Amino acid sequence: MPFRQEKGRLWGPGVLDMKSGLAFFVFALRALRDLDIPVSRRVVLQLNADEETGSESSRALTEQAARKSDCVLVLEPGTGLEGQAENLAQRSGRYRVAIPGRQSHSGVDFAAGASAIVELAKQIERIAGSRNRREELRSIRK
């Protein structure tokens, strides 16, 4: 996926999300300055290189900054080329789901068993499809 510029647009890895996010930040601060809008709080820009892999190296820094912040603006266009802002970013999370199974011989008494793998697959599908994953996990536990 090489970078290219064509018909007034940029194409390539990170152009839409990462690079445009930096441009949004620069233009937002310029607008505040040019319109003489006072900023009463410290503005912090945090750039993470590992955001697609679970943010292992930046997670602690992100959580520390979030605890000190009144608000956060995620500088990533949410709807692609339409340019509409998103008001909610996807969250990451780690889940531990224990699924008990019941052994049985598949050739002798298949119906007596309960496949933990099949049940786990169903629960993963429920979690992945849920809009409110925390509530979904609570309902699975019941």
Side-chain angles (χ1 to χ4, degrees):
M1 291 180 51
F3 172 84
R4 75 181 194 278
Q5 183 174 355
E6 189 177 297
K7 298 179 184 176
R9 289 194 174 159
L10 300 177
W11 304 86
V15 169
L16 181 62
D17 54 0
M18 297 181 306
K19 291 173 185 71
S20 63
L22 294 173
F24 288 167
F25 180 79
V26 169
F27 280 98
L29 290 184
R30 281 185 184 166
L32 291 172
R33 181 196 63 201
D34 293 350
L35 296 170
D36 200 26
I37 298 173
V39 177
S40 61
R41 300 294 304 251
R42 187 173 142 209
V43 175
V44 175
L45 172 64
Q46 180 178 324
L47 304 175
N48 299 335
D50 63 349
E51 52 96 15
E52 296 294 338
T53 61
S55 304
E56 290 182 26
S57 66
S58 63
R59 186 177 190 94
L61 179 64
T62 302
E63 290 174 352
Q64 179 184 16
R67 282 190 290 275
K68 295 177 182 178
S69 298
D70 289 335
C71 63
V72 174
L73 177 61
V74 177
L75 299 170
E76 185 168 324
T79 58
L81 298 176
E82 290 82 29
Q84 296 177 358
E86 283 287 335
N87 62 3
L88 178 64
Q90 289 291 328
R91 295 171 180 87
S92 65
R94 295 181 184 186
Y95 304 97
R96 182 178 299 245
V97 180
I99 307 290
R102 186 170 48 250
Q103 283 184 314
S104 71
H105 191 282
S106 62
V108 177
D109 194 6
F110 179 78
S115 172
I117 293 173
V118 171
E119 184 59 28
L120 179 59
K122 290 176 186 176
Q123 298 307 329
I124 289 171
E125 192 171 60
R126 271 181 79 188
I127 292 168
S130 173
R131 295 185 139 268
N132 186 341
R133 293 195 173 111
R134 192 170 284 175
E135 286 300 319
E136 187 68 26
L137 282 174
R138 284 190 195 117
S139 72
I140 289 171
R141 287 187 199 130
K142 292 179 182 174

